[in-house]
Amino acid sequence: MAGPRDTVVIAQSTHVLPLEFNRRYPVLKRGQGVWVEDASGKRYLDAMSGGSMAATLGHGRKDIVAAARAQAEKLSYVHNERLTNPAQEQLARELVDLAPKGFTRVRFVTGGAEANEMAIQIARRYHVDRGEEKRWQIISPAQAYHGPTMATLALTGRPGLKRPFEVYMSNHLHIPPSTWRFDPTGEEALKALDRALEAAGPATVSAYFCEPISAAALPSYSPPKRFWEGLAERRARHGFLICFDEIVTGIGRTGHWFAAESLPIVPDIIATAKGLGAGYTAIGAVLIREHVYDAIAKGSRKFTLGHTWDGAPLSCAVGLAVVAALKKEGLIERVRERGPRLRDELAAALKDVPFVHEVRGHGYLLGIEYVDPRDRRSFLPPELRTAGRVDDVAFENELITYSTMPTRDGFAGDQSLFAPPFTSTDAELAEMVARYATTLKQVARELESKLEARPV
Ligand SMILES: Cc1ncc(COP(=O)(O)O)c(C=O)c1O
């Protein structure tokens, strides 16, 4: 079994239940800034903010650790069901100040899926408290990921993710993504939304649930403006709520405190998580607009469901230190200003890689979409696992990346994310771009020979 000197763990050598049984898990022991180090002392550039996009401030931040320590020494934990604490109160005030206008209340949770589940429950509570008991159904884009719990898995329309747990899930409705491949104008998505509203019966729809700018599901993709305008019209007509999953995009990732600020629509509920703890604690938050609060205040006047660690002093103190660091160092402005150039630099470095279709970018949330280089349009054959190969080759090149292959679900093909910590220097960003380019050129050469023998 794995011991303290092992550099790689495999399924047969660990008591940890692995996520993928055929995968080799490198053991990482320390991190500093945008670098992480494995058990053999080899260093990797972390182009994925800890792998999940959470570590927005990089690794080894002494100020955040000091804030956590100070809070733990004072009061680490009390449950927020019957008690509150200054850190929770102050972090709620901060988030209300930073959120788009009109958001006035915050509910803390301990992660992304919990925040999304809480958003689903708050939306339902809102309708029930207004006397609209029939509203429960949710409409969401099919090509999405909102978490691994039963309620959040039910929000995606991807059979590949849900199987075999769909027996436990509510039947929500889904619309295809309005990407260049299916619907470049957004009109088809609006027609699909109308069909879904009709199928459900508009008076039974509780919410439209989506990421404003997608992360892993469709890296850095956001529907065309026309879609958002049409969605706002339909909300006004039919009375459902709009919930934004800002688990990844919230707290600066796209160069705004919340991605909602950059779109022509204001949601009713925002769920956020990763960047709030920046990889130093498990924390999430649900922000609601005043009219949602009002409905509950005039209705049942309670929403007691919650988790043990919601709003705990320790987590909220870390959240406060993260927000303070982002403000003090002007990091969100840096992401907003630097992000477009980073996208251009990555696109230029990848311009001759034949299977790269597009490089998208919003702040430091960048996405690379791959296609079959022979017709520059079709998905790559899924059995070649090209995006998986990108991550393996990147790791050999001492770069941490994250790619996905949802091809079998039918809405998107092989794709990679590039989401560096906000604290990355220009030299570090340049090195990440260079290693990405080296990696993709190497994978392109391998791909060419694999594709030669196959029909298009
Ligand atoms: C967009 C999005 N929503 C929700 C989640 C779930 O968050 P968590 O893993 O913290 O439960 C994730 C996690 O990757 C995510 O990317």
Side-chain angles (χ1 to χ4, degrees):
M1 285 292 143
R5 270 193 283 279
D6 281 304
T7 55
V8 171
V9 167
I10 56 169
Q12 297 88 316
S13 73
T14 175
H15 288 294
V16 174
L17 178 61
L19 272 79
E20 292 176 47
F21 286 47
N22 292 330
R23 188 175 274 282
R24 291 160 55 80
Y25 288 89
V27 181
L28 293 186
K29 287 213 162 154
R30 53 179 65 82
Q32 190 57 52
V34 302
W35 295 90
V36 287
E37 191 178 309
D38 75 9
S40 72
K42 200 163 165 189
R43 293 170 82 228
Y44 301 81
L45 254 179
D46 181 4
M48 272 305 294
S49 301
S52 78
M53 297 167 276
T56 55
L57 297 177
H59 305 277
R61 292 279 309 218
K62 295 218 164 34
D63 52 342
I64 312 294
V65 175
R69 184 188 175 128
Q71 183 63 53
E73 283 174 353
K74 222 183 315 170
L75 177 69
S76 174
Y77 177 79
V78 280
H79 192 203
N80 75 351
E81 189 183 347
R82 305 280 160 88
L83 306 161
T84 188
N85 65 85
Q88 168 171 249
E89 296 298 327
Q90 195 188 333
L91 187 56
R93 277 198 302 277
E94 290 270 354
L95 291 182
V96 162
D97 277 354
L98 299 169
K101 202 160 159 277
F103 282 83
T104 54
R105 314 284 158 156
V106 183
R107 184 72 184 254
F108 291 105
V109 289
T110 60
E114 283 180 10
N116 283 336
E117 286 227 22
M118 195 67 84
I120 296 171
Q121 291 185 353
I122 291 173
R124 169 86 179 137
R125 181 85 266 163
Y126 163 87
H127 293 301
V128 171
D129 283 4
R130 295 171 79 247
E132 297 203 55
E133 279 272 350
K134 289 209 178 89
R135 287 192 185 268
W136 70 274
Q137 197 133 25
I138 296 173
I139 304 177
S140 57
Q143 178 57 26
Y145 177 72
H146 298 292
T149 60
M150 300 306 173
T152 54
L153 270 180
L155 295 177
T156 164
R158 292 165 58 190
L161 279 181
K162 293 174 162 182
R163 223 176 281 128
F165 309 112
E166 64 275 37
V167 289
Y168 300 110
M169 288 169 210
S170 300
N171 252 331
H172 294 308
L173 296 162
H174 308 289
I175 64 171
S178 45
T179 53
W180 61 273
R181 180 175 267 114
F182 299 113
D183 169 33
T185 63
E187 282 300 335
E188 290 307 314
L190 286 173
K191 284 185 203 152
L193 177 58
D194 287 336
R195 284 194 298 275
L197 283 161
E198 199 50 47
T204 70
V205 176
S206 169
Y208 182 82
F209 211 107
C210 68
E211 283 183 276
I213 300 169
S214 300
L218 263 174
S220 200
Y221 162 82
S222 189
K225 187 161 169 260
R226 174 70 198 110
F227 176 78
W228 296 118
E229 291 165 352
L231 177 63
E233 281 160 32
R234 281 148 183 88
R235 168 176 60 183
R237 206 176 323 142
H238 297 301
F240 56 82
L241 297 181
I242 295 177
C243 300
F244 271 6
D245 171 342
E246 295 223 30
I247 304 311
V248 171
T249 55
I251 320 297
R253 174 58 64 193
T254 68
H256 301 272
W257 283 98
F258 293 92
E261 283 167 41
S262 62
L263 295 181
I265 190 169
V266 184
D268 303 287
I269 300 179
I270 294 177
T272 192
K274 299 189 190 241
L276 188 53
Y280 290 86
T281 195
I283 185 170
V286 186
L287 288 80
I288 61 176
R289 270 166 70 192
E290 186 64 11
H291 65 101
V292 178
Y293 174 79
D294 269 351
I296 303 174
K298 291 194 187 108
S300 60
R301 295 195 58 77
K302 63 178 180 190
F303 187 79
T304 50
L305 294 172
H307 304 271
T308 302
W309 267 87
D310 294 353
L314 180 57
S315 338
C316 290
V318 171
L320 282 168
V322 168
V323 170
L326 290 166
K327 284 184 178 171
K328 185 159 158 249
E329 291 164 37
L331 289 171
I332 295 185
E333 294 74 12
R334 156 89 174 157
V335 170
R336 185 159 62 233
E337 179 275 319
R338 189 65 178 81
R341 278 189 292 130
L342 182 62
R343 193 218 72 90
D344 292 349
E345 286 156 13
L346 185 65
L350 305 183
K351 114 175 148 347
D352 298 325
V353 182
F355 72 112
V356 171
H357 169 77
E358 185 177 35
V359 178
R360 294 185 286 264
H362 290 91
Y364 280 11
L365 180 60
L366 290 93
I368 310 165
E369 182 175 338
Y370 308 119
V371 286
D372 190 321
R374 294 169 300 178
D375 64 1
R376 304 197 63 87
R377 184 175 179 86
S378 308
F379 293 140
L380 282 157
E383 57 284 5
L384 296 185
R385 302 191 71 262
T386 307
R389 190 67 196 133
V390 169
D391 290 344
D392 291 347
V393 175
F395 198 75
E396 286 161 18
N397 291 326
E398 292 156 24
L399 180 73
I400 311 269
T401 59
Y402 185 87
S403 304
T404 62
M405 297 166 287
T407 319
R408 289 180 204 279
D409 291 330
F411 307 106
D414 293 54
Q415 46 192 7
S416 295
L417 273 161
F418 177 25
F422 307 167
T423 48
S424 313
T425 62
D426 281 342
E428 288 162 343
L429 292 174
E431 186 57 31
M432 290 177 197
V433 168
R435 291 187 192 191
Y436 230 123
T438 305
T439 299
L440 291 188
K441 284 175 189 164
Q442 197 175 328
V443 173
R445 284 193 294 276
E446 291 177 12
L447 186 61
E448 203 178 301
S449 53
K450 288 185 199 161
L451 287 174
E452 251 164 34
R454 301 171 150 266
V456 183

